[in-house]
Amino acid sequence: MDGSDETFQARALGEALAALRRERGLSQAEAGQRIGMTSQGWGLYEAGKRSSLFRPDVQRRLTGALDATPEALVLQMDAEPVAPEAPAAQGVSARGRAFDGAPVQARRLRLETDELAPWASAGTVLEYVLGRWPRRGQGCVVQLDDGTRKVRLYDRADQVEVVVLGAGGLDRTERIARARIRSMSAVTGRFDDE
């Protein structure tokens, strides 16, 4: 890989890291704080200005701060717009190490209560994407370790707990220990019952 290819790849990897962070509703400061890094340090990774971003241990550390994996980073990179294609080269070509995009695992469920009214009432069908972290104010489906599933509005999270709204009304907060959460999924669509 020559210098311009490496620069392009570093920039693309940094943009994918930034997209993962934004999907989780975190600022650079919040993401960096999770691993003892300043927002400026985190920003250098997102700008592709730290070559250590290519190291697997660094990728695990950074994606771990986002409750993600290095594989999710690569998948996000594939989802990002790519540079315009160069003219086809003559001779042998290689596909590289990129993963094929994983199919989106969207599911639906029908609300049975009015706990989230007026955001969504009983009978509303919600579509959610497994494993996609919600943004602040976005609906989420939380699967707990005991098999319980909760539908709430995401507020914020830290290393110890996740804070959601809607436990008995949108003005009520609920704190859920991260250790109890098996999966967190963002609501991506609402379909009102007709």
Side-chain angles (χ1 to χ4, degrees):
M1 185 167 20
D2 70 20
S4 64
D5 284 344
E6 190 171 319
T7 300
F8 174 76
Q9 289 296 325
R11 205 172 302 132
L13 204 51
E15 288 171 6
L17 181 66
L20 280 177
R21 175 185 54 77
R22 286 189 299 268
E23 279 181 4
R24 279 134 179 96
L26 296 172
S27 67
Q28 288 180 342
E30 290 167 327
Q33 181 182 21
R34 291 179 170 196
I35 55 174
M37 180 185 297
T38 65
S39 62
Q40 292 83 3
W42 187 278
L44 289 172
Y45 281 111
E46 288 187 1
K49 296 191 179 197
R50 287 201 169 161
S51 61
S52 60
L53 184 56
F54 291 108
R55 291 182 18 204
D57 61 316
V58 172
Q59 289 181 8
R60 279 192 300 276
R61 184 173 175 231
L62 294 171
T63 57
L66 303 175
D67 298 321
T69 63
E71 291 79 14
L73 182 64
V74 172
L75 290 171
Q76 183 67 43
M77 204 168 120
D78 285 347
E80 293 292 310
V82 293
E85 285 189 28
Q90 299 296 323
V92 179
S93 66
R95 185 175 168 323
R97 294 185 179 180
F99 297 140
D100 289 331
V104 174
Q105 297 182 17
R107 299 200 176 160
R108 290 186 178 193
L109 67 87
R110 182 179 302 275
L111 291 178
E112 304 202 3
T113 68
D114 284 327
E115 285 184 320
L116 296 177
W119 184 78
S121 56
T124 300
V125 174
L126 301 178
E127 184 173 82
Y128 61 100
V129 176
L130 289 177
R132 180 179 292 172
W133 199 265
R135 295 180 311 275
R136 179 174 249 166
Q138 185 175 14
C140 62
V141 178
V142 185
Q143 186 76 37
L144 300 177
D145 57 0
D146 64 1
T148 307
R149 183 171 54 192
K150 297 182 177 204
V151 181
R152 302 287 188 260
L153 292 183
Y154 176 79
D155 187 45
R156 65 188 179 280
D158 60 26
Q159 294 169 332
V160 178
E161 65 186 5
V162 172
V163 179
V164 292
L165 306 173
L170 292 181
D171 58 341
R172 304 203 43 200
T173 61
E174 179 179 3
R175 297 175 183 279
I176 305 170
R178 276 187 178 260
R180 292 202 53 222
I181 298 174
R182 189 177 332 150
S183 71
M184 185 79 151
S185 305
V187 171
T188 57
R190 287 189 313 215
F191 307 95
D192 293 324
D193 198 20
E194 294 181 7

